[in-house]
Amino acid sequence: MVPEHDVADEVRHTAKMARKKAARDRLMAEKSGEKGLIIVHTGAGKGKSSSAFGMIMRCVAHGFPCAVVQFIKGAWDTGERRLLTTHFGELCQFYAMGEGFTWETQDRARDIAAAQAGWEKAKQLIGDSSLRMVVLDEINIALRYDYLDINEVVAFLQTSKPPLTHVVLTGRNAKQELIDIADLVTEMTLVKHHFAAGVKAQPGIEF
């Protein structure tokens, strides 16, 4: 036999969940709009690019054409690049435009040229209304070092992005001008990182 207090708790819980569902259903019924989003993943924590590539894989799973421009990690043989180019090249265009982090090249002019070439490719892709999503991976780093003009990037996103195209911009230290125009901004917070304990970057985790 179920104790009376357990029965009462179950009744209260059921009623509470029913109220929550009704409120949620009302909230969802009010959301009918659809638009291409400007999405920013920033912050010191891990997961910015990983989250963006998760969204790309969702697009691929739905059969939506999409594209990636990598501004920094172009010299890396990353798992996501290998997967997308090997198995999903017909749906996802992938352009590795960067040559590594700025401290690796140690050549500002070369870094600026690579970033600007990446941005020219990005503009071409974003302007293609057949693409559902374009990821600009680590573009925030290029913007942080002023390899690209933040005002030009913001103006292009505001005036030239097709209405239903999603653009995802990743990298720490996103500029305020970009945050201001974004529809969705997520900041990854660093709580603990294995690198501090002497563990190097590993395939399947960092790349």
Side-chain angles (χ1 to χ4, degrees):
M1 183 176 180
V2 180
E4 289 185 9
H5 66 274
D6 288 348
V7 173
D9 287 346
E10 184 64 28
V11 169
R12 281 193 294 271
H13 176 76
T14 300
K16 179 180 179 181
M17 292 300 107
R19 291 193 299 271
K20 287 176 86 75
K21 182 181 185 310
R24 184 68 180 174
D25 288 347
R26 286 195 300 272
L27 179 66
M28 295 304 291
E30 296 169 359
K31 312 297 182 187
S32 58
E34 185 176 356
K35 63 173 290 192
L37 302 175
I38 298 172
I39 301 169
V40 175
H41 293 163
T42 192
K46 277 185 58 59
K48 299 177 286 294
S49 295
S50 299
S51 178
F53 281 110
M55 299 171 87
I56 282 288
M57 292 309 299
R58 286 179 184 152
C59 284
V60 168
H62 285 292
F64 297 149
C66 52
V68 175
V69 179
Q70 285 194 310
F71 280 80
I72 301 296
K73 299 173 185 170
W76 293 23
D77 177 23
T78 61
E80 53 266 30
R81 176 180 174 183
R82 191 182 299 182
L83 176 69
L84 289 168
T85 56
T86 302
H87 298 286
F88 303 108
E90 75 285 358
L91 279 174
C92 183
Q93 301 179 52
F94 202 110
Y95 298 93
M97 308 296 290
E99 298 186 77
F101 291 99
T102 185
W103 54 84
E104 293 174 338
T105 63
Q106 300 181 28
D107 186 334
R108 179 175 173 80
R110 182 172 156 187
D111 290 337
I112 290 172
Q116 291 180 345
W119 176 236
E120 290 303 312
K121 175 57 68 175
K123 288 192 292 184
Q124 175 190 335
L125 295 166
I126 293 169
D128 182 353
S129 60
S130 71
L131 298 178
R132 178 63 65 93
M133 176 179 287
V134 179
V135 167
L136 308 182
D137 189 37
E138 304 285 12
I139 190 174
N140 288 337
I141 294 178
L143 290 167
R144 175 190 180 189
Y145 288 110
D146 297 320
Y147 296 164
L148 301 173
D149 182 347
I150 182 62
N151 295 316
E152 179 188 346
V153 172
V154 165
F156 182 86
L157 293 174
Q158 288 183 307
T159 62
S160 300
K161 183 182 75 63
L164 295 180
T165 300
H166 306 302
V167 179
V168 186
L169 307 97
T170 77
R172 61 176 63 196
N173 301 116
K175 291 206 170 187
Q176 190 62 46
E177 295 94 328
L178 184 58
I179 291 172
D180 288 344
I181 68 161
D183 299 287
L184 172 62
V185 180
T186 300
E187 182 170 2
M188 309 295 184
T189 301
L190 177 62
V191 177
K192 191 175 185 179
H193 199 301
H194 52 273
F195 188 75
V199 180
K200 68 178 183 180
Q202 301 173 86
I205 303 296
E206 277 81 17
F207 59 91

